[in-house]
């Protein structure tokens, strides 16, 4: 890495943290201990309204490492907080002390009993666990809205539930066993009798206290009743006291108290779940009511298993998404005060599904509804309904006033009080000035979320929020005896109100639980249990405006899963958070030295290692393209000299391309002459000596490409296509070890001709480039000039768009589609092969296992299905790695910053079957990095189609 902790970073730490740093360096590599101010700040944000900068961030890789880290912290009375994906909404994954990440390296899983049980490590994303279980028609019970982004560690530690799991399939109800690391560093495997016996013998005070609390609750009918009552609905406020009612054995109690304890009692290093059945048949209906009250009354009569989910959407929330593409017109015409319930019913056989649909219609039909109830079994239609539901929270966040914070809270009311409780909540929001806030959520379980936006820049704004939260807590906990936190965890924003909800007696038990497990308050202080009544008003993050592209970001972290640099430097969320902090520092002028350091370090951490692929946009609920923001930053930093140099390159593009081919020919000749090992040594040495300015050669470096000539036009009524071989293809040929040594352009032309097409290549093709390499560097003027020149040539060659145009490089295709005349019909390799070629050739399926890499541009163009279809028609087994998104080669960054490519492909090799030695993609530069990492060639998918059609 280019950036490491500096000596002054360690020296700036308080003495206890300096000691801690030097102590843990004995077992933890320096690269995994983060002390520089920028990255510490970046890890100090999560999806909540808080931002707290840790002193040290440690990327732990194993149970032994966590045990060691916790013990060393305890010796110095230093607090630690555990963290997974950081999608938590209540500030429970933040600290001003030591933050321990349990993400990378915590990816293990094991499936037992035909999918009935699954063991998962905390760094696995919830949706990936369900993908592992899909062949067994099973899934994990918890189904939070963030399941595609949240990790198992957080899902279990927060007892996250969701839309369908209710209170019967959450982590508390489906946990079987766990491996845990406690505050003293001890490790317990509850699935091992030997571990249980050994740990119990050494921790008698804990098991004795658990037993004592169990017996006290059993002997107190009032307290026993309170606990039973409060867990009939969703409740994650405080600790899981229901464990003392539901279980007798201390270890069983321990397991279930840990669920929902938010890292304050132990790290969940592994969890084994009882899985649940994934129903074969589903149907959904969006039912509209004239009022919020009527919608809640109707839901009261619905129960599981008749329906799997009942989701409330109030009129304000529906307005936030009514301009989306494909939204049913009826939503735009709803009267003020209306509401909707999204109902889903499921079954393992179709007859049962139809029966449940009929019963649901009968139950809901008794109430005042605006339109007839229509269930749909069409995945595309009900998929849209659930997309509407999932998009409500971010949609509100996206339209908020810039600089304000979006806040989501979740409460639960007893079922009999649901309608009155929701109406009272709505009234409270209106009375406190949050009329634009929304109410929605899982009303089948009495659980509703409310979303507001708040300006915290003024004392008046802070006072408004504080009074509102205090009044809502009194309303929910005191008047309706509901849950202040239904499924998001207590965190630090509800920690001051746990006693208000539970009462002194139950809260005293919770404090005893904390004391028993963590007597020195080493683990995650001020979360769940706190003595600071205003902790929920402290460390509120700054939302200073930065740029219109990222100002709408709500820092939810949904971008991270797609980012190729998040294991190396920063994720898109962290880039935005750091930019906001730099904006704040510039405005306040409070710490010029820190601002300077941030700006220096951001050059590598935020700019140079951003692949600008834009894949973050595909999972961002607000469609924010942080890659485009990075391009804009690069553009803003453009110097006249650099712009002039780029213009010269563009003006002499043919000569530049020729120079690249000469360089590649020379490198290939040297490789042949001196061999791979010596060539690699010299290349790495030279790359380092030149300050990484000279591109790094690797054994998969391509030979020189060539400029194709116009092939023969056979005529005779054959259809014509225009082929634009990208400048990359013209410069880069196959690599020394590639299976097929023909140039890609030759393969493309041959495929088209055998499929019955005459191929036309634009005149003077060597002059043209789409401008993509220049756009990536923020040199927009040059990029657009090149695109305009190419556009003219393509319009001429295609007869103003009458002929289809094939481009053989997916990033180039994507740019051309978005920057050129709409009359031009430009196709990527994949789409062209699928739509124009493969059905016109005899395809003979080969018995072969292949790796398939879908490039960023392919994903953004929506070509995944076509990509997979082509591959599956050609070979018997196709593997698309679960944990590989963008390869991080990013044009030429794979040569200049190879660590980005290597980090992005961290999980590639683990997905490669033993019988696989072929890989395919549709971007030449991506294929270079993939080949180097995999150890076998990746080539264009066109080579595979060509091979299978002969």
């Amino acid at each position: 890495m280019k950036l490491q902790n500096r000596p002054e970073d360690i020296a700036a730490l308080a003495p206890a943290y300096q000691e801690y740093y030097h102590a843990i360096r004995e077992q933890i590599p320096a690269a995994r201990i983060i002390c520089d101010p920028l990255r510490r700040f970046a890890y100090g944000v999560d999806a909540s309204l808080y931002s707290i900068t840790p002193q040290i961030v440690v990327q732990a890789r194993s149970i032994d490492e966590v045990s060691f880290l916790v013990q060393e912290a305890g010796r110095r009375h230093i607090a630690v907080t555990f963290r997974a994906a950081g999608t938590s909404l209540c500030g429970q994954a933040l600290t001003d002390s030591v933050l321990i990440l349990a993400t990378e390296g915590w990816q293990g899983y094991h499936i037992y009993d035909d999918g009935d049980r699954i063991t998962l490590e905390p760094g696995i994303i919830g949706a990936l666990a369900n993908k592992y279980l899909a062949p067994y028609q099973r899934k994990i019970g918890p189904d939070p809205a963030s399941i595609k982004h949240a990790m198992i560690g957080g899902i279990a530690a927060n007892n996250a539930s969701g839309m369908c799991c209710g209170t019967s399939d959450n982590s508390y109800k489906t946990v079987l066993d766990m491996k845990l690391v406690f505050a003293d560093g001890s490790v317990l495997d509850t699935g091992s009798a030997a571990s249980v016996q050994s740990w119990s013998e050494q921790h008698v005070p804990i098991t004795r206290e658990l037993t004592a609390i169990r017996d006290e609750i059993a002997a107190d009918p009032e307290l026993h009743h309170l606990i039973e009552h409060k867990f009939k609905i969703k409740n994650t406020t405080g600790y899981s006291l229901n464990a003392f009612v539901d279980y007798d054995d201390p270890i069983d109690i321990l397991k279930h108290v840990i669920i929902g304890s938010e890292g304050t009692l132990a790290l969940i290093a592994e969890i084994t779940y009882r899985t649940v059945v994934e129903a074969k048949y589903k149907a959904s209906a969006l039912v509209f009511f004239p009022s919020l009250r009527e919608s809640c009354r109707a839901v009261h009569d619905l129960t599981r298993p008749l329906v799997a989910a009942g989701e409330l959407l109030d009129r304000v929330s529906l307005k936030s998404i009514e301009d989306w593409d494909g939204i049913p017109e009826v939503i735009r015409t709803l009267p003020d005060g209306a509401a909707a319930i999204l109902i889903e019913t499921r079954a393992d056989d179709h007859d049962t599904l139809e029966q449940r649909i009929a019963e649901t219609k009968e139950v809901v039909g008794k109430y005042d509804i605006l339109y007839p109830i229509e269930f749909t079994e069409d995945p595309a239609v009900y998929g849209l309904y659930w997309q509407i539901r999932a998009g409500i929270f971010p949609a509100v966040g996206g339209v908020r006033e810039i600089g304000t914070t979006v806040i989501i809270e979740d409460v639960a009311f007893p079922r009999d009080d649901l309608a009155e409780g929701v109406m009272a909540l709505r009234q409270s929001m209106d009375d406190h000035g949050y009329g634009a806030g929304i109410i929605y959520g899982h009303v089948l379980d009495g659980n509703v979320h409310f979303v507001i936006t708040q300006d915290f820049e003024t004392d008046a704004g802070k006072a408004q929020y504080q009074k509102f939260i205090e009044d809502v807590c009194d309303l929910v906990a005191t008047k309706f005896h509901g849950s202040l936190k239904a499924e998001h965890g207590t965190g630090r924003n509800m920690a001051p109100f746990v006693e208000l909800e539970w009462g002194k007696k139950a809260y005293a038990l919770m404090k005893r639980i904390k004391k028993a497990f963590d007597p020195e308050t080493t683990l995650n202080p001020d979360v769940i249990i706190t003595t600071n009544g205003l902790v929920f008003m402290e460390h509120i993050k700054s939302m200073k405006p930065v740029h219109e592209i990222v100002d709408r970001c709500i820092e939810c972290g949904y971008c991270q899963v797609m980012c190729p640099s998040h294991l190396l430097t920063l994720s898109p969320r962290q880039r935005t958070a750091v930019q906001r902090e730099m904006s704040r520092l510039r405005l306040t002028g409070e710490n010029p030295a820190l601002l300077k350091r941030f700006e220096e370090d951001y050059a590598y951490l935020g700019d140079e290692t951003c692949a600008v692929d834009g894949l973050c946009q595909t999972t961002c609920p607000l469609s924010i393209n942080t890659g485009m923001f990075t391009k804009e930053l690069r553009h803003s930093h453009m110097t006249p000299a650099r712009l002039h140099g780029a213009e010269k390159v563009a003006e002499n593009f043919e000569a530049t391309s020729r120079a690249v081919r000469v360089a590649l020919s020379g490198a290939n000749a040297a490789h042949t002459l001196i061999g791979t090992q010596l060539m690699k040594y010299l290349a790495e040495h030279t790359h380092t000596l030149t300050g990484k300015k000279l591109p790094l050669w690797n054994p998969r470096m391509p030979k020189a490409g060539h400029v194709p000539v116009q092939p023969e036009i056979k005529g005779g009524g054959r259809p014509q296509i225009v082929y634009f071989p990208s400048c990359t293809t013209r410069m880069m040929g196959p690599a020394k070890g590639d299976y097929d040594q023909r140039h890609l352009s030759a393969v493309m032309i041959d495929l088209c001709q055998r499929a019955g097409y005459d191929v036309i290549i634009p005149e003077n093709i060597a002059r043209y480039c789409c401008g993509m390499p220049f756009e990536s560097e923020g040199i927009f003027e040059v990029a657009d000039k090149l695109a305009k020149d190419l556009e003219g040539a393509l319009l001429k060659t295609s007869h103003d768009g009458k002929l289809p145009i094939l481009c053989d490089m997916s990033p180039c295709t994507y740019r051309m589609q978005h920057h050129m005349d709409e009359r031009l019909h430009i196709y990527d390799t994949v789409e062209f092969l699928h739509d124009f070629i493969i059905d016109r050739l005899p395809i003979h399926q080969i018995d072969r296992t292949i790796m398939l890499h879908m490039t960023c541009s392919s994903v953004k163009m929506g070509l995944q299905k076509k990509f997979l279809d082509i591959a599956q028609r050609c070979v018997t087994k196709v593997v698309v790695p679960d944990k590989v998104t963008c390869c991080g080669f990013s044009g030429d960054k794979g040569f200049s910053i190879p660590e980005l490519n290597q980090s992005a492909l961290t999980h590639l090799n683990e997905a490669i079957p033993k019988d696989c030695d072929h890989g395919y993609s549709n971007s030449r530069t991506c294929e270079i990095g993939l080949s180097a990492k995999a150890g076998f060639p990746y080539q264009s998918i066109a080579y595979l189609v060509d091979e299978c059609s002969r």
Side-chain angles (χ1 to χ4, degrees), residues 15-77:
Y17 291 100
Q18 289 187 39
E19 289 180 19
Y20 184 72
Y21 172 83
H22 292 297
I24 66 175
R25 274 287 288 110
E26 295 179 7
Q27 292 192 29
I28 310 296
R32 292 200 271 116
I33 306 174
I34 297 170
C35 297
D36 64 274
L38 189 151
R39 286 185 294 167
R40 288 193 294 110
F41 176 86
Y43 280 108
V45 299
D46 62 5
S48 73
L49 66 157
Y50 305 105
S51 174
I52 307 176
T53 302
Q55 295 294 309
I56 297 175
V57 179
V58 187
Q59 298 167 331
R61 290 287 190 269
S62 67
I63 289 177
D64 288 344
E65 287 189 355
V66 172
S67 175
F68 168 69
L69 290 167
V70 172
Q71 289 181 66
E72 291 298 325
R75 290 190 180 102
R76 293 162 181 82
H77 305 288

Side-chain angles (χ1 to χ4, degrees), residues 929-949:
L930 289 159
S931 299
K933 180 66 174 177
F936 54 75
Y938 272 73
Q939 290 188 274
S940 170
I941 190 75
Y943 286 95
L944 179 61
V945 174
D946 180 78
E947 180 182 1
C948 295
S949 62

Side-chain angles (χ1 to χ4, degrees), residues 216 411 658 683:
E216 288 177 32
V411 299
R658 190 181 307 117

Side-chain angles (χ1 to χ4, degrees), residues 309-530:
E311 295 293 303
L312 171 69
L313 305 167
D314 75 353
R315 184 66 186 101
V316 182
S317 65
L318 289 170
K319 281 183 178 179
S320 70
I321 49 85
E322 64 183 19
D323 293 330
W324 286 9
D325 292 339
I327 292 296
E329 181 62 31
V330 65
I331 291 180
R332 300 184 179 93
T333 62
L334 290 172
D336 289 342
I341 299 291
L342 174 55
I343 301 172
E344 179 163 294
T345 185
R346 301 173 175 180
D348 291 329
D349 63 87
H350 199 263
D351 288 344
T352 301
L353 182 73
E354 290 184 333
Q355 180 183 344
R356 287 177 176 173
I357 289 173
E359 289 182 24
T360 303
K361 285 184 175 181
E362 182 179 351
V363 171
V364 179
K366 297 175 183 177
Y367 294 88
D368 188 7
I369 55 177
L370 294 176
Y371 305 101
I373 303 171
E374 296 182 5
F375 274 88
T376 177
E377 297 179 53
D378 184 344
V381 178
Y382 69 63
L384 175 61
Y385 293 166
W386 286 100
Q387 184 180 345
I388 291 171
R389 163 60 183 83
I392 294 296
F393 168 50
V396 172
V399 298
R400 76 188 191 284
E401 184 178 342
I402 299 303
T404 61
T405 300
V406 60
I407 301 160
I408 179 172
E409 279 296 347
D410 73 311
V411 299
F413 297 101
R415 285 180 61 85
D416 290 345
D417 296 325
L418 177 62
E420 294 307 314
V422 169
M423 296 309 299
L425 176 61
R426 177 74 268 173
Q427 187 63 53
S428 180
M429 292 169 68
D430 294 342
D431 290 346
H432 284 83
Y434 299 107
I438 67 171
I439 296 177
Y440 70 107
H442 323 306
V443 284
L444 190 64
D445 301 301
N447 174 202
V448 293
H449 306 316
F450 60 93
V451 182
I452 60 173
T453 59
Q454 181 66 56
D455 181 0
F456 286 105
E457 293 298 313
T458 65
D459 290 340
K462 294 174 183 176
Q464 177 192 15
Y465 175 73
Q466 180 177 339
K467 184 67 168 64
F468 171 64
I469 290 298
E470 290 171 347
D471 286 356
V472 165
C473 288
D474 185 62
L475 171 76
V476 175
T478 305
K479 181 176 181 180
F480 288 100
H481 305 290
S483 308
L484 293 177
K485 298 302 296 185
E487 60 177 4
H488 293 170
T490 305
R492 60 186 60 248
N493 58 349
M494 281 296 142
F497 305 101
V498 175
E499 185 174 3
L500 173 69
E501 175 177 335
W502 277 98
K504 291 185 181 298
K505 190 183 296 185
Y507 187 62
L509 296 182
M510 293 184 186
K511 290 193 289 185
R512 284 170 58 185
I513 292 169
K514 173 66 172 175
K515 186 75 173 177
F517 282 91
D518 184 19
E520 300 298 324
T521 317
T522 300
L523 305 182
N524 215 2
D526 277 334
V527 170
I528 297 185
I529 303 296
T530 185

Side-chain angles (χ1 to χ4, degrees), residues 21 33 136 175 196 246 267 346 463 641 742 758 865 910:
Y21 172 83
I33 306 174
Y136 305 93
V175 63
V196 169
D246 297 338
L267 169 74
R346 301 173 175 180
R742 292 175 296 163
D758 276 340
K865 187 176 180 181
E910 68 191 45

Side-chain angles (χ1 to χ4, degrees), residues 773-934:
F774 297 91
E775 181 196 299
S776 295
E777 293 304 316
I779 314 174
F780 300 141
E781 302 88 346
V782 174
D784 291 344
K785 169 71 168 56
L786 286 167
K788 197 68 178 176
D789 291 344
L790 175 57
E791 176 187 75
L794 293 177
L795 281 168
K796 177 182 177 182
T797 310
S798 67
H799 307 301
D800 290 332
K802 291 183 175 63
L803 301 180
I805 300 166
L806 162 65
C807 176
D808 55 21
M809 183 87 169
S810 64
C812 302
T813 308
Y814 182 80
R815 173 171 168 77
M816 291 161 67
Q817 289 177 348
H818 287 78
H819 287 79
M820 292 188 178
D821 196 301
E822 292 181 355
R823 291 174 292 172
L824 295 174
H825 302 285
I826 304 168
Y827 297 88
D828 172 70
T829 301
V830 168
E831 189 166 24
F832 194 85
L833 290 173
H834 187 276
D835 295 357
F836 290 85
I837 298 292
I838 202 163
D839 289 333
R840 298 171 72 106
L841 295 173
I843 300 298
H844 309 289
Q845 192 180 61
I846 300 172
D847 185 11
R848 179 185 298 166
T849 299
I850 69 164
M851 298 296 293
L852 194 65
H853 178 74
M854 299 182 184
T855 58
C856 314
S857 39
S858 298
V859 172
K860 290 187 288 185
M861 289 186 285
L863 299 180
Q864 300 98 309
K865 187 176 180 181
K866 290 182 178 181
F867 216 146
L868 192 59
D869 182 56
I870 292 171
Q872 289 175 337
R873 290 173 68 174
C874 290
V875 299
T876 52
K877 184 178 179 181
V878 180
V879 178
V880 181
D882 291 322
K883 303 175 192 174
V884 176
T885 54
C886 170
C887 72
F889 208 89
S890 187
D892 65 346
K893 282 193 182 297
F895 301 124
S896 58
I897 308 178
E899 63 268 30
L900 175 60
N901 175 235
Q902 293 159 9
S903 179
L905 297 179
T906 295
H907 296 286
L908 175 65
N909 289 60
E910 68 191 45
I912 301 174
K914 293 180 180 179
D915 62 343
C916 179
D917 60 1
H918 285 71
Y920 296 94
S921 189
N922 59 338
S923 168
R924 187 68 193 94
T925 49
C926 297
E927 290 153 17
I928 297 169
L930 289 159
S931 299
K933 180 66 174 177

Side-chain angles (χ1 to χ4, degrees), residues 690-756:
T690 60
K692 301 189 178 183
K693 293 179 181 179
L694 189 71
L696 180 63
W697 177 91
N698 73 56
R700 299 292 175 174
M701 187 78 83
K703 303 174 186 176
H706 73 188
V707 181
V709 297
Q710 174 61 49
E712 177 187 356
I713 303 295
K714 297 181 180 179
R718 286 161 60 94
Q720 295 182 332
I721 64 106
V722 176
Y723 173 38
F724 171 62
S726 68
C727 62
T728 303
T729 301
R730 302 194 306 266
M731 288 187 278
M732 298 180 179
K736 186 178 181 67
D738 286 353
Y739 295 126
D740 196 322
Q741 288 293 308
R742 292 175 296 163
H743 287 279
L744 178 57
S745 56
V747 175
M748 284 292 194
I749 291 169
D750 186 49
L751 274 170
C752 292
Q753 289 180 330
R754 288 196 292 114

Side-chain angles (χ1 to χ4, degrees), residues 156-177:
N158 291 300
N159 197 22
S161 48
M163 290 172 269
C164 297
C165 84
T167 57
S168 59
D169 291 329
N170 57 21
S171 291
Y172 179 90
K173 288 295 180 68
T174 58
V175 63
L176 294 173
D177 281 300

